[in-house]
Structures are given as structure tokens and as C-alpha cells.
Amino acid sequence: MAQVPVGRMPAIAEDRPWLKGARVFVQQTLWPGMEALDADYPGREKPDYRKRYLQAAAFFGCFVAAVLGSAAIHPFLAFPVFLGGIISLFVIGALMGSGQPAEQVAKARAMEKRVVADIAGFLGFTYRPDATGEAAGDARADLRDAGVLPYEPEHCHWSEGLRVTGDGYAADVWDLVVSQYGPEVRDQNTPFEGMAVRIAPTRKQIAGNVVGIGRQTFFRRATGPVWIGSGERPEYEPVDLESLEFEQRFTVFATDQVGARYLLTPAFMARLVGMTDVIGCDAAHFVCVDSHLTLLFDTRSDPFEIGDGKTLCDAASVERVFAELSSILDLAEALDLDSRTRV
């Protein structure tokens, strides 16, 4: 039986209307249910991609030093050392792969999704086991047409999602993996793994198309549109904004400057920056087409996972799911508020 942490309950700040009653829900409903599930939770291995990058860099440095050192001793020694290094690379790669049975992984993922669905249900979301429907199809088309997700459709795997409808908007959330080997293959070579969000305001009409490309870091890589800087899409012009913090996070292009500024109000930009902080992702992009906003967050993780890999009853991950879903509602509310105040 899994060891459930004692005395560490999730701390949920009830600072939004949709969070009222969250503490009671967690203490009386969610946490007891998680404890019951945890008794049969098989656990799940969660790879540390940053650690793997550092290990690969260290191995490569030693490999180069060994080849150069052997060549300095005698030129004929370089080839066997090089060959031995290549063989070692494949052996280490095989040993670093997950040895957990696929059945256990599937069971663990199903239990985690059940918990996330319960949290989402409290916040007003409806869980959907797949990514079918008009919203998902439109999101795929908008991202591909804008060049933000420049991969073949068969390599973009959209799986389970959430949907919420509020006064003045509808929002969808999906798990998205880009992999030529299928949605279950998630490793450091996967071009994209994370969350896709689509918000459709029903009162705010935005002229033109707007594309925002998030900054990239070594560990948070994200491929932006290939047309940027190439002159292939002259209809997209850079947009200068008044928010220094937002411009440090995103580079924005638009086909209509007025429409871009109507979307990127101070309230919206502040909440989108806050959303990237909550999700913990610098590699974020957004596309606005026909007044529909689609966002990508390359988190290198499954948004529908919870727990620490050993136990479901992990307070930090429960707090994370509440915060991420709340930030989506916060952003949708900002769009609707802007439309009503004519910002």
C-alpha cells in the first residue's frame, strides 16, 4: 500500500469565484478519494529530461576527450576508441529507457486522469476522453496555417480534453504530443509535449490574425513559424507593445495592427504572463484567428498527470492542477471583460 503523506493537505487559495468552496471539496471529497485510489496505484516512472541532457553532454565530452587522447598517443588507437564509444552510446540509451510494464503505466495514467477530471469538474469543466469535435479541428487548422505547429497531422496526437462554457466564452484544453512514433512515446527528442488551450470569446470580435511566439531556452525549446524573417508571409508585421514584460516573453506578428492591440490589452497581457508563470513554461505560443485564441504550452509533461510518480496523494501536484485550470478561466474572463468594457 502506498504511503500517504500525513499533515500535508493541498492549500488552495479561494481568490476567484470559481474557487469558492475548494478547500472543503479537497478535504471532504477529493483527498479521501485519492487515498482510496492510492491503495492500488502502481506508480509511474517520470523521466527527468534536464538530467538526461546533462548526462548526454558529459558522456559526449568524455567521448571526445577519449578519442583525441587516444589519437595523440597513437593514430591507430582512435578508431577502436571511437567505435567503442558509439556502441556504448546505444547500450546506455537502452539501459536508460523505462522498464516499467506498459500495463502499469496505462493503469497509473487512468487513475491520474480520474483525479484531474474530478478537479476539473469542481471548476466547471467537462472531461472529454478524446479530442474530437469542431473546436479541436479548428485549433489544428489555425496552428498549422499560421505555421506554429509545422508538423504533419499524423504526427500531432491530440488526446483527452476538458471543456468549459462561461458567460461570454467557451474554453477547451487538450493533451498534445508531437511524435512520429505515437502518443505514448514521450522522450527528450519529442518536438512538443504539453498543453493546448483554445478560448472562443462570444462577444469580442478581433480583426485579422495575430501570432505570438514565446522565447526559447536550451531546455525549453519550441519551434516557431518557419516564415518568420524569411519574407514569405509579408502580411504578418511585427507588433510593438507597451508592456516590456510581455515583449520579453513573446514576439508578436499580426495582419492587422488595430486588431492585435484590441486583443493584447494590458489586462490580457498581464494574465497571459501570469498563466505562463503558473504553468511554468517559457516555450509558449499563441494564435488568434477569427477571434478564436489557441495557445500552446510546451511543458515537457502530460497536463493530465498528477502525483509524484510514487503516490497519487501529492499536494503540490493537486495545487498545480487547480492553479493551471484557474489561470485558463482567468484568461478567458479577461477576454470577456475587455469586450464588455470596450478596451
Side-chain angles (χ1 to χ4, degrees), residues 272-314:
L272 183 52
V273 168
M275 187 175 179
T276 60
D277 290 338
V278 167
I279 296 176
C281 176
D282 289 330
H285 302 328
F286 67 85
V287 175
C288 184
V289 178
D290 295 331
S291 301
H292 290 67
L293 179 69
T294 304
L295 306 103
L296 292 180
F297 298 94
D298 190 5
T299 59
R300 301 281 113 188
S301 64
D302 182 349
F304 290 87
E305 70 180 20
I306 205 163
D308 61 3
K310 298 179 181 179
T311 173
L312 278 176
C313 297
D314 176 57

Side-chain angles (χ1 to χ4, degrees), residues 87-112:
I87 295 173
S88 299
L89 181 63
F90 283 101
V91 172
I92 293 173
L95 293 176
M96 289 178 63
S98 174
Q100 189 175 15
E103 296 80 9
Q104 289 188 10
V105 175
K107 181 178 180 180
R109 287 174 62 85
M111 297 172 78
E112 292 172 16

Side-chain angles (χ1 to χ4, degrees), residues 80-317:
V81 171
F82 175 81
L83 185 61
I86 296 298
I87 295 173
S88 299
L89 181 63
F90 283 101
V91 172
I92 293 173
L95 293 176
M96 289 178 63
S98 174
Q100 189 175 15
E103 296 80 9
Q104 289 188 10
V105 175
K107 181 178 180 180
R109 287 174 62 85
M111 297 172 78
E112 292 172 16
K113 291 173 186 176
R114 178 176 171 182
V115 174
V116 173
D118 289 342
I119 297 173
F122 172 81
L123 295 173
F125 289 84
T126 300
Y127 177 77
R128 296 186 171 188
D130 54 38
T132 58
E134 183 179 354
D138 291 343
R140 295 186 186 99
D142 292 349
L143 291 168
R144 185 165 177 79
D145 291 345
V148 173
L149 202 64
Y151 304 100
E152 295 301 322
E154 59 268 23
H155 295 160
C156 300
H157 307 284
W158 301 66
S159 54
E160 62 275 337
L162 303 170
R163 182 173 178 81
V164 63
T165 302
D167 180 20
Y169 66 86
D172 294 271
V173 186
W174 300 282
D175 173 26
L176 174 60
V177 178
V178 177
S179 172
Q180 61 178 323
Y181 302 110
E184 298 304 323
V185 179
R186 302 168 185 240
D187 56 30
Q188 63 268 36
N189 297 315
T190 301
F192 181 93
E193 179 189 4
M195 180 191 302
V197 179
R198 185 173 178 83
I199 303 174
T202 58
R203 284 191 278 253
K204 186 164 187 172
Q205 300 300 313
I206 303 161
N209 299 344
V210 185
V211 175
I213 306 304
R215 65 179 182 178
Q216 303 177 45
T217 67
F218 180 75
F219 295 109
R220 298 284 189 182
R221 64 193 188 285
T223 303
V226 295
W227 49 263
I228 289 181
S230 67
E232 293 181 6
R233 305 285 288 273
E235 69 272 23
Y236 281 94
E237 298 180 349
V239 179
D240 294 325
L241 302 167
E242 297 180 358
S243 172
L244 179 61
E245 186 177 16
F246 190 85
E247 289 187 329
Q248 290 175 342
R249 303 288 184 100
F250 297 95
T251 303
V252 181
F253 299 84
T255 60
D256 187 297
Q257 296 285 321
V258 175
R261 286 175 172 77
Y262 184 45
L263 168 68
L264 302 171
T265 63
F268 175 84
M269 289 189 290
R271 295 196 189 189
L272 183 52
V273 168
M275 187 175 179
T276 60
D277 290 338
V278 167
I279 296 176
C281 176
D282 289 330
H285 302 328
F286 67 85
V287 175
C288 184
V289 178
D290 295 331
S291 301
H292 290 67
L293 179 69
T294 304
L295 306 103
L296 292 180
F297 298 94
D298 190 5
T299 59
R300 301 281 113 188
S301 64
D302 182 349
F304 290 87
E305 70 180 20
I306 205 163
D308 61 3
K310 298 179 181 179
T311 173
L312 278 176
C313 297
D314 176 57
S317 61

